[in-house]
Each structure stands twice: as structure tokens, then as C-alpha cells.
Amino acid sequence: MLTDLSGWTIAAVVVLGVLSVAGGIAVFVVDSMARATFALLASFLAVAGVLLAFDLVYLAVVTALMMTIEMAIMAVFMIMFMMNPAGLMPMTMVHNARGSALTGAVAFVVLVVGIWTVDWPIGRTERPEDSTRQLGEAIMGSHMLVMLMIGIGLFATILAGTVLATARGRYDRFGADLAAKRPDDPIPGGLPR
Amino acid sequence: MDLSRRLRAWALARPRVLIVDAPGTVERRWAVEAELDRRGWPLAMSPADTDVLLVLGTPGPQLALAIDVLWSQVAQPRHRVDLRATTDLHHRLEETLHALGAATPKEHVDGALPARAGAGHSPEGTDDSTHEGMEHSRHEGMDHSGHEGMDRAGMAGMDHSGHEGMDHSRQEGMDHTAMGGGGHAGHHMHHGGEVAGLPMAETAPDRDGLALDVLRVSIGPVLPGWPTGLLLRADLQGDVLTGAGLSWVDATDDGSSPPADVHPQRAALDQLASLLLVAGWPTAARDARCARDGLASTGQSELATARRRAARVARRVRRSRALAWTVRGAGHLPSERGSAGDGDVLDRVRRWCDVALGADGHVPASPASLDEVAAVLEGTELGTARLIVASVALDRSAANTEPEEARA
Amino acid sequence: MPEAETAAAAWGVLPAALLVTGVALGLGWLVAAVDRVVLSGGGGAAVLEPVRSSVRLLTEQRRTTLAPDRLLWRSGIAAVPVLAVLSMAVVPIGGRTLWSSSADLVWFNAMEALLWAAVWLVGWGPNAIHALTGGYRFLAQGLAYELPLMFSLITVGVGAGSLRTADILSAQAGLWFVVSMPVAFVVFLASAAAFAFWGPFGAPTGADIAGGVTSELSGVDRLLVEAGRVIFLGATAAMAVALFLGGGSGPWLPGPVWQLLKTVAVVVALVWAGRRLPVLRPDRVVEVAWTVLIPVTLVQALVVAVLLLSGFYAV
Amino acid sequence: MLAVLSLFALVGALVATLYGASSLMAIARRATDVMPFESGMLPQQHAASRYHARWYAITILFLAFDMEMIFMYPWAVVLADMGVGAVVEMFGFLAVLLVGVVYVWREGALRWT
């Protein structure tokens, strides 16, 4: 399995793997919400780098793309709602250090034992010429049902998230009978309604 | 050595200028802006963007403090010009270029550049006149300000930064700030103390049901496209202003002098220029400035050109759908005073355009009162607030235009 | 097969990377010069001004503020130009891209998406209210432009049946994509202005917040951010030429010359049109982006998909 | 892969060179230590606080919509082979999400609070 890969790739994977773990640790070491968020992003970007080293370009790039946007949005919420966003006051990112350390150690041991004892299947198929195309074929073909389910799930997320997040709804904007011509909003938008 | 000096002189041939116009220097500012536009020297947005700090007229004590704070925030190479008259403008600007190009770090640190004839301040502001100005400021600030704490903080910072002190003694300066602020802002103290000399923001409920941090901020007295000397103190919840209060710095209530009698068309174009700058339309702002400057000329053909130019920019702004879309609905002022200042930002922009067109005998919209404007700013987002302030005519009719001379 | 056609393969890795960097700087200079000419109202001498400003910023002292988040601030500043140049890796130069993969368009998209983090960090770092507001404005603007931009890129991918720049170029041998996807073309260029926070989408650096994210930057820090902006604009103009205007195709003249001419034309048109508009404030843009732009770009994608299935694009 | 890596190294070196050039050419090598710009006044509090973003409701819609991009890029590649079925499926999927957008719009969540 490893023999398919060049020495450079293995070196890159090792370095990036260490970086991603270091980023993950940094999340809990730094005492600023902004730094914690972007340490996590650094970790994800290192993972994207690992994928790139394996020549899974689409997955790598899409990981970087999605995670950057999501971490930027997460930073907004972290800084909005958590205390001490800039880490100007001393604080700690961890609670219940002993219990979590124990849990973490156990999980680590279980996973490591699992990784080294499971009889992993050996890839028999040829590496595809174009992994993006292969992914598309999978999504539009055999895994279409999954995608449709995700679509419904995302729709439910949009609705539920909006209901939970907003303090005002259409009755606040257009009146109890929804008869107002122009909505009553604190900040007007780009459209008349 | 010589090469690097020449390189710097070349690089600084079009320095960015931050203009601070003391009250009563409107026409002087126009003359200066005309000259800067002619030379292609851009206007700076902030001290970080500044090479030349150009002070027009004689600032009052509080404005002088603000200028000193700004000056301490400008990175080297930098040069400060105090312009009391525009007669030798060309000469002074050439001198500025020379000073900027000749500046070396050593000279800057030592403040050893010789003070030039006619200049109140050396480029580093370390000569005696500057010191005196600062001592003077301290007294005035203490006597006349409703915000002694902050003014003292400003002054305390300046005691150091006037001598490049920000480099080595920020900590000390900040301790002063904290002490100065303690008197009027004692309620900060319970909030977990201070970090690096500044308190953290406090928490307050918001109109959308969240209780997040609110930040005490000052908008003004010196910002691009902002009436110099106007000070907006407010709480920012995110970028939404609450508890806004407007005042003029150096305002005194010893009688009112009428605003200088300026060309209404030029005044309207000036108002448009600053509004367009705030609205992020630099090309239109440039055209408005250009027309405004042209209207000062005496030659018939230049005047006709300037009129055409004014008409063109006014029509362009008036018809712009993008501008209408982006400013519409903001800043409805109550209309109890009849026709003058009511309507939203867009209505006021269009009235300025009408005056700029010069077609009818419109007088510029009569000035709005500060309290009225402050009430409209309540709950607006920062960008909208800037547009609202830029769209109304504010003058210091209740304030003395030349406080120092009046008191002297 | 297209792997052999990359610039790296044709000219060697290092020369090709050097060329791409050089072209990126050239494009940045082009955008800055045209912008300066438009802003100052003419005058050919303005073309030297970007060089002058760069030297001035190099000789200027840097600043740091009270209690900044120095690490994040400096990372954001350095990331802006680095991302801009990296996005050039999939922009064809003389018909060849530096790197070719099965997801070139996504690469371009990802480099731009990383700006979300970089620009926000530049605003967050200095612990200053104007910069902070600018950083948040950029994210708000991102919520508006990101999806229309993605849809316009996907529309191109649908038309070519590939996300590879080289395939997209060859798919336009018959007809330029701009003919069948004008909406995607306009949205792509408008998004360029949005992610380079320039012109009508310049709210993150607006004059109303004293320059926003750049309000605390001086010296080389400011130079890097400004350079990143103009390189991104230039790279997007060059990419627009490749994606919609047939790249180097054209009669009589050799391909690279055509490509250069088209890129210059796109840059001039973009800057000229952008500077004719005031800043469109994010709070207004967001609503229109979701209720108008996204449906319109989706209809554009649908039209292209139907055209593809009806054999309009001779793949 | 190697090409991208070398481009990254090159532009990284360029940035480093610019910083080096700046420290050689700049009139003062050390950065000046200033108070944050607050239009002439000294700041009264640390600006880096719990910033109240006014558009947080939109982010939820955005993230949900953004997820679907993961599918749409590969979809574009295989569309020609898959035929009409793929178009119907993808745009059906998008139509569901657009219904969500309409709902959010009517609730006023596309406007800032």
C-alpha cells in the first residue's frame, strides 16, 4: 500500500499530519477564541494538504474551501458568544481537564489498536484517471438517494435554523394580518419587500 | 546613501495628505484641496495612510489634542504643515516634499531638522511652540470639556508621543489614560479591570434580544468626509450605533457668529464631494471637487467650464440608480421645520444637486441641529450614520468659530 | 493527456513558477495603473504611480497598535498576496497553466475562499474599531457573492464538461462561452470586485470607516494587502478571458498576444465600470444576492445544462 | 503538485524578500507603536470584543446552501454522460433549497437585525 507512494509524498504526509495534530492541540492551548478558531482552520488546511499529497485534488481543494468558509463563520459566532474573544484576559479553553484527558487517552488507545489490528482491505482497483469524475458518477448514480436525503435535511436545517435564530418573523414585519405593504425592519434591505 | 535618498525623494513625490481644517477655514481647505488635486497628491484615509499632516488655521485646544494624537499615529517618514494662510501654499508644499525626501531616521529621532521660517512646528513637533501649545491645551481641555477624563487621557498620551514617545513608553502613557479615565468612567472598573491600560467592553442588551458587548467609541473629530471638529460619541453594538451624542469640540457658548458667507453653489459641491467620498464614489467626488474649485476662478471661460462640470456631476449623482438604491430610506429627519432638512439622505442629496446645478435660487438646506441628527443616528449602522451626517448641513452656528482668538 | 501540457512540464517547474509570479505582478501592476488612471481622471503618467507607491510603502515605517493579535494579523497580511499568486496556478499563460488537475476551477474558488479568513484576520488583528468593522463587512459581503460566484464557475464547468482550465479552453474552439453564458460572465467579474474588496464592493475598505481593514496598515504591510487585491483582480480578469472569452483564440495574431489584449480589455472595462458606481453596501447587497442573483445564476446553469444535452457544445 | 509547491515557496520567498527589503529601506526599522486610530480620540475600550454581527441568521442559510456545492462541481463534470436525469435531479435538489430561501426571505432573515 505505502509502496505506491513516493518518498516525497510520504514525507509530505508525515509533516502535514504532524502539523494538523499540532493545530488540533493548539485549539485547546491558546486562550483566544480567534486563535482557537484559526488553529482549527490550520489543522484542516494541513489535512487538505495530506489529501493533495495523495493526489485527491478535488477532495483536498473542497476541504480547504469549505473549512475556510466554515471556520470564518465559526469565528463570527465564537467571538459573538464566547467570553474573552481576543484572549486579552487570562482564561483556559478546557474544563474538566482530568476527565477529558482520560477520555482522550482511552479513545486514542482504542483507535490505535483498531488501526493496527483491523485487517484492512487492499485496494484492488486501478486508481482512477480522474477522481472528480468518479465522485460525480458516484453521487449522481449509486448514491443519489443519499444526496436527496441530504437535500431534505438541509432544507429542514434552513427552516429550523432560521426559526431558532431570528427573534422576529413575518408577523412582526408585516403586521398580524400580513397586510403591511412595506415591512417594518430595523435595517432596510436591498429590495422593497 | 545618496541613491536611497533620491529613491525616497522620488517615492514621496506624491505624498498622501491628511487635512485637518480648523473652524472658519472652509475656503482655505478648498484652495488646498484644489492644489492637491492638481498635483495628484491623494487624500489620506487614516493616519496609517498619511505622509503629510496638514493643519489649516488655528485649531482650538481640543482639536489640537486630537491633532497631536493623530500625529503620534503617523508612521515615518512624515511631515506636519501648519498652514495659517494659503498665500504661500505652493512654497509650503514644495518645502514639504523637500522635508519628506530629506528625512532620515536619525534626524527624525533627534528632531534635529531646523524649524523652517514661518512654520509653527518643526516636522517632529518637538520645538518650543509645540510644547507651549500642548501646555495650553491641557488647561483649556480641563476647563471646557464635558469629558475631562478622555481629554486628559489624550493629553497624557501626548506628553510622551509628542517626542516619539509612543515607541518606548506606551505602557506609561496608558497608565495615565487609565487614571485619567477613572474619574468619569469608574464603572469600567468592576468589569474585570483593564488589559494593557484599557478596559474591556461592557455588556448590554440589544434590540434583537441578545446581550453582547457594547463598545464606547468616538467618531470624529477628524475623519475623511466628516465635518472636522464634530464629535460623535456612541455605543457600538456590532456596527450599530446606540446612545449617540453629537457635539462640536471646542464649542463655547459665548454667543454665535454667523457662518462665513460662502458661495452657495461651491458649498453644495463641497458637501456633495464629502458625501460621495463617504458613499465610496471617489471619481464622482473628484469631479465635484474639481467643479467646486473651478467656480472660484475669475476667467469667463474657466467659469463656464466649471459650471458645465458642476451640472454634469450634479446630474450624474441625481440620476444614479445605484446611489439611490444604496442610500435610500436612511436618515429620515423630522419635517417640523418645513422644507429645509426633511426627507431621507437621498432627498437631501438631490437638493444638494439642485443647488450645485445653480439653476434655481435655492439656498442650501438650512443647518440641522445636532440633537436632531443624533436622534436619527440612533440605531443606524455605522455606514448609514456616516451617510446621514455627510448629507446634512451642520455648522457651528451655536459655537464660536475661532475660540482661541475670542478668548484671547 | 493534459498533464503534459502544463507550463511546469513544458518549461521546467522553477522557470514556470517564476513566470507565473512575474505575470501575477504584471497583472497587479496593470490593474493598479488602470485604476489610478481612472481615479485621477486621465493622464498617462499615472502608469508609474503603482511603482512609486510600492517604493514609498517599502520605505515607510511599519506600525503596530495597542494589544494587537500580532500572529493572526501578520498571517492575514501575508496570506492575501500569497493566495492571489497561488490562484494564478490554474490561470493559463500562453495557453498553458502552471498546474493542471481535474479540479482547476475549484482550486481558483478555494484560493478566493481562503480570503474569507485572511481579510477578516487583517481586520481583527490591530484591535481597532474601524479595521474590525471592515473585517466583518467582508464576511457579510462574502455571504452575498460566494454562491453566485460558485454557480458561475459551475456553469463553465457544465459547458466544458470538465473543471480543467485546458479543457475549458479547448471547448471554446467553436464558440466563446460568453455567448451562451453572459450572466455567468458578468457575475464572475462582479465577484472579482467583491472578493478583492474593490470598487462598488469596497465596503470593507470604505472611506466611511477610514479605510476599514487597511486603516491600521502602513509600510510593507499595506503594500502586501494592496498588492494582493490588485493581483487577485488581475488574475480574475485573466481567468475570465480563459473561461468566457476563448483564451488565446483569435485570427491573425498569435495566441498569447490575443490573450494579453483580451485581458487588458477586461481589466479596463472592469475598472472603468466599477469606478462609475458608488459602494454598494453589504446590507443591501445580501438580500438582492439571495433573492435575485442566485436564482438568475441557477437559471443560467440550467440553460447551459439543457444546451449541453441538446448537443449545442460540440464536446 | 510539485509545481504548486514551488509556486507557494516562490511567493513565500517574495513576501519574505519584501519584508527584508522593507527593513533595509524603511526609514525606521522598528515598527512604531501607536494607539489604534479612533478618528483623533484615544480609544476608550479594547475594540476586539464580542462583536455583534448583524447578519448571523443568513449564515445558517449560507452554510446549508454551501454544502450542496460539494455535489455540484462533480455533477458538472459527469452531466454530459448522465443525461436528462442528472439535470432533473440536481435542479430538483436546488428547487427544494430555493424554497428554503423564499421562506427565509419572507421571515426577514436576509435583513440585518
Side-chain angles (χ1 to χ4, degrees):
Chain A
M1 183 53 196
L2 282 175
T3 48
D4 296 356
L5 303 170
S6 70
W8 282 107
T9 311
I10 295 172
V13 168
V14 167
V15 170
L16 289 166
V18 170
L19 277 181
S20 79
V21 172
I25 292 171
V27 171
F28 297 98
V29 174
V30 297
D31 57 357
S32 133
M33 291 298 155
R35 286 193 177 191
T37 308
F38 286 93
L40 191 54
L41 175 60
S43 179
F44 278 125
L45 290 181
V47 171
V50 171
L51 290 171
L52 199 60
F54 284 137
D55 216 16
L56 298 168
V57 178
Y58 179 73
L59 285 183
V61 174
V62 119
T63 304
L65 193 160
M66 292 289 158
M67 284 308 142
T68 308
I69 289 178
E70 263 139 55
M71 287 305 117
I73 288 175
M74 190 175 100
V76 170
F77 284 98
M78 293 280 271
I79 282 158
M80 216 162 133
F81 294 122
M82 308 300 263
M83 55 181 282
N84 186 27
L88 291 171
M89 318 279 251
M91 66 164 281
T92 169
M93 293 289 287
V94 293
H95 305 281
N96 187 17
R98 207 135 103 226
S100 49
L102 198 69
T103 319
V106 169
F108 182 78
V109 168
V110 168
L111 288 175
V112 167
V113 169
I115 287 168
W116 289 109
T117 52
V118 165
D119 186 18
W120 293 104
I122 293 166
R124 283 171 303 275
T125 49
E126 276 293 297
R127 282 164 62 84
E129 178 75 12
D130 184 342
S131 58
T132 314
R133 172 172 291 271
Q134 196 193 30
L135 186 64
E137 278 161 2
I139 292 171
M140 299 314 295
S142 52
H143 294 82
M144 192 64 216
L145 186 64
V146 177
M147 194 181 126
L148 287 179
M149 295 307 293
I150 290 174
I152 303 295
L154 289 179
F155 178 68
T157 310
I158 291 173
L159 263 53
T162 305
V163 168
L164 291 176
T166 52
R168 295 156 44 83
R170 57 187 181 279
Y171 295 109
D172 302 299
R173 305 178 66 220
F174 295 104
D177 48 359
L178 297 179
K181 273 183 116 167
R182 296 182 74 95
D184 168 34
D185 283 325
I187 293 180
L191 292 176
R193 282 178 69 85
Chain B
M1 199 59 222
D2 188 46
L3 184 70
S4 81
R5 199 173 255 229
R6 276 178 38 200
L7 185 69
R8 189 176 299 134
W10 175 76
L12 284 162
R14 299 234 163 92
R16 301 155 300 178
V17 184
L18 186 67
I19 300 177
V20 184
D21 47 333
T25 56
V26 177
E27 308 235 15
R28 240 179 285 172
R29 175 167 61 83
W30 295 351
V32 169
E33 285 182 359
E35 176 68 13
L36 296 184
D37 276 342
R38 200 185 58 71
R39 288 167 171 255
W41 294 15
L43 298 175
M45 294 262 190
S46 69
D49 194 24
T50 299
D51 300 310
V52 177
L53 182 68
L54 208 157
V55 181
L56 291 176
T58 314
Q62 284 178 308
L63 188 58
L65 280 179
I67 292 169
D68 289 339
V69 170
L70 289 172
W71 178 241
S72 76
Q73 291 167 337
V74 179
Q76 295 182 41
R78 57 183 185 173
H79 185 69
R80 177 173 167 164
V81 183
D82 289 79
L83 209 61
R84 302 226 158 68
T86 47
T87 44
D88 57 346
L89 179 59
H90 177 78
H91 174 64
R92 295 295 299 276
L93 292 182
E94 289 300 323
E95 211 175 67
T96 300
L97 279 187
H98 181 72
L100 275 176
T104 68
K106 187 167 179 302
E107 283 170 353
H108 266 260
V109 168
D110 295 341
L113 270 186
R116 284 168 210 291
H121 302 270
S122 82
E124 284 312 302
T126 48
D127 62 348
D128 286 343
S129 73
T130 312
H131 265 299
E132 271 174 18
M134 280 161 56
E135 295 303 319
H136 188 53
S137 304
R138 175 185 322 219
H139 285 291
E140 301 295 343
M142 293 302 289
D143 291 346
H144 295 284
S145 156
H147 301 277
E148 289 92 342
M150 278 323 293
D151 292 325
R152 233 185 54 202
M155 189 260 327
M158 278 321 302
D159 274 349
H160 302 282
S161 56
H163 312 274
E164 304 298 311
M166 295 311 248
D167 288 337
H168 57 82
S169 63
R170 184 185 74 202
Q171 211 53 47
E172 207 181 335
M174 287 320 302
D175 287 340
H176 283 282
T177 309
M179 285 193 291
H184 100 112
H187 52 280
H188 291 318
M189 295 311 175
H190 70 83
H191 196 71
E194 296 174 345
V195 182
L198 272 190
M200 305 298 291
E202 287 166 81
T203 306
D206 184 69
R207 65 180 174 216
D208 62 1
L210 300 173
L212 302 174
D213 282 355
V214 291
L215 197 63
R216 286 290 305 159
V217 292
S218 328
I219 312 289
V222 183
L223 270 176
W226 178 266
T228 302
L230 184 67
L231 177 59
L232 167 62
R233 285 185 183 275
D235 289 330
L236 266 187
Q237 300 192 315
D239 57 2
V240 169
L241 292 164
T242 57
L246 278 172
S247 59
W248 291 103
V249 300
D250 303 321
T252 51
D253 37 3
D254 48 348
S256 64
S257 61
D261 197 20
V262 291
H263 195 306
Q265 211 175 337
R266 294 186 73 198
L269 282 165
D270 183 53
Q271 185 95 21
L272 273 181
S274 62
L275 185 127
L276 292 170
L277 189 73
V278 171
W281 201 356
T283 52
R286 183 203 63 218
D287 290 348
R289 281 201 307 269
C290 201
R292 174 198 72 194
D293 303 334
L295 285 176
S297 56
T298 45
Q300 275 310 313
S301 65
E302 286 106 325
L303 213 53
T305 315
R307 286 216 187 89
R308 271 202 305 279
R309 201 172 258 158
R312 203 165 54 227
V313 68
R315 272 202 299 273
R316 185 167 152 214
V317 171
R318 217 174 189 299
R319 287 183 191 154
S320 166
R321 286 201 198 146
L323 186 72
W325 177 70
T326 200
V327 308
R328 180 167 43 212
H332 269 285
L333 280 173
S335 53
E336 71 256 15
R337 286 177 307 111
S339 62
D342 62 322
D344 62 6
V345 168
L346 186 60
D347 296 327
R348 286 192 291 275
V349 169
R350 293 194 166 150
R351 265 201 301 279
W352 288 117
C353 288
D354 290 341
V355 182
L357 276 167
D360 44 1
H362 256 296
V363 289
S366 75
S369 85
L370 289 187
D371 291 342
E372 203 177 50
V373 178
V376 178
L377 295 184
E378 190 71 31
T380 57
E381 170 263 342
L382 191 53
T384 315
R386 290 294 313 271
L387 282 171
I388 293 170
V389 170
S391 73
V392 293
L394 292 167
D395 71 342
R396 312 169 64 109
S397 49
N400 194 322
T401 47
E402 293 283 356
E404 285 208 322
E405 270 133 39
R407 240 175 270 125
Chain C
M1 41 85 204
E3 317 293 346
E5 292 171 13
T6 62
W11 304 315
V13 170
L14 204 60
L18 272 171
L19 176 77
V20 169
T21 315
V23 170
L25 293 179
L27 282 172
W29 168 79
L30 173 70
V31 172
V34 173
D35 197 26
R36 188 65 71 101
V37 169
V38 170
L39 275 181
S40 66
V47 295
L48 256 188
E49 288 307 305
V51 183
R52 194 198 294 274
S53 308
S54 307
V55 175
R56 187 193 58 216
L57 288 175
L58 276 179
T59 60
E60 192 175 64
Q61 188 185 23
R62 293 165 59 214
R63 301 160 89 244
T64 100
T65 55
L66 176 79
D69 198 331
R70 207 163 276 137
L71 172 70
L72 294 186
W73 195 12
R74 303 296 177 210
S75 334
I77 289 166
V80 175
V82 169
L83 292 172
V85 176
L86 281 184
S87 77
M88 288 286 297
V90 294
V91 176
I93 296 163
R96 290 190 173 97
T97 53
L98 174 69
W99 183 53
S100 184
S101 72
S102 57
D104 285 353
L105 290 185
V106 196
W107 172 268
F108 191 83
N109 195 332
M111 289 308 113
E112 159 276 313
L114 276 159
L115 270 182
W116 281 51
V119 175
W120 185 82
L121 287 179
V122 177
W124 169 261
N127 189 13
I129 185 60
H130 292 299
L132 186 70
T133 310
Y136 276 94
R137 279 189 184 179
F138 185 77
L139 291 191
Q141 189 158 286
L143 296 176
Y145 79 77
E146 187 70 43
L147 286 172
L149 169 66
M150 284 180 173
F151 286 131
S152 72
L153 283 173
I154 284 168
T155 307
V156 174
V158 169
S162 168
L163 303 177
R164 197 188 294 274
T165 316
D167 296 348
I168 293 164
L169 282 175
S170 55
Q172 296 178 76
L175 190 65
W176 295 356
F177 276 171
V178 68
V179 177
S180 57
M181 26 186 116
V183 175
F185 176 62
V186 172
V187 166
F188 184 74
L189 285 181
S191 309
F195 64 70
F197 43 105
W198 169 91
F201 297 99
T205 48
D208 54 344
I209 46 172
V213 289
T214 59
S215 67
E216 297 290 344
L217 300 178
S218 73
V220 64
D221 298 326
R222 178 177 286 262
L223 175 65
L224 288 175
V225 172
E226 297 288 351
R229 288 172 81 178
V230 290
I231 291 175
F232 248 122
L233 270 177
T236 315
M239 194 65 171
V241 168
L243 298 187
F244 297 99
L245 300 177
S249 70
W252 311 306
L253 296 171
V257 177
W258 267 120
Q259 198 190 0
L260 181 68
L261 287 178
K262 289 177 190 172
T263 307
V264 172
V266 169
V267 166
V268 170
L270 180 67
V271 172
W272 181 81
R275 288 298 184 190
R276 286 185 68 79
L277 291 171
V279 162
L280 308 172
R281 295 185 302 142
D283 51 340
R284 309 253 158 148
V285 172
V286 165
E287 195 176 45
V288 172
W290 279 93
T291 52
V292 178
L293 270 187
I294 288 180
V296 166
T297 45
L298 279 177
V299 167
Q300 167 80 86
L302 179 61
V303 167
V304 170
V306 170
L307 284 178
L308 174 80
L309 292 180
S310 64
F312 178 79
Y313 303 105
V315 188
Chain D
M1 184 57 223
L2 189 64
V4 171
L5 210 61
S6 53
L7 184 63
F8 183 72
L10 205 62
V11 63
L14 185 67
V15 170
T17 310
L18 283 176
Y19 269 105
S22 152
S23 81
L24 282 181
M25 289 166 69
I27 188 157
R29 190 173 293 189
R30 259 171 25 133
T32 172
D33 204 348
V34 300
M35 295 298 285
F37 173 56
E38 203 170 301
S39 37
M41 305 303 278
L42 289 176
Q44 302 156 66
Q45 293 167 333
H46 284 288
S49 57
R50 299 199 292 170
Y51 188 92
H52 191 153
R54 296 283 160 176
W55 30 265
Y56 53 87
I58 309 172
T59 58
I60 295 157
L61 175 65
F62 179 86
L63 286 181
F65 225 98
D66 197 40
M67 280 296 160
E68 154 273 348
M69 287 297 147
I70 294 184
F71 304 119
M72 214 170 166
Y73 273 115
W75 166 82
V77 177
V78 297
L79 186 59
D81 305 338
M82 292 291 190
V84 181
V87 176
V88 172
E89 280 165 0
M90 179 52 77
F91 282 92
F93 178 78
L94 286 167
V96 171
L97 291 184
L98 280 178
V99 173
V101 174
V102 171
Y103 172 80
V104 170
W105 171 53
R106 200 171 62 132
E107 290 292 303
L110 291 181
R111 299 201 169 174
W112 297 17
T113 63

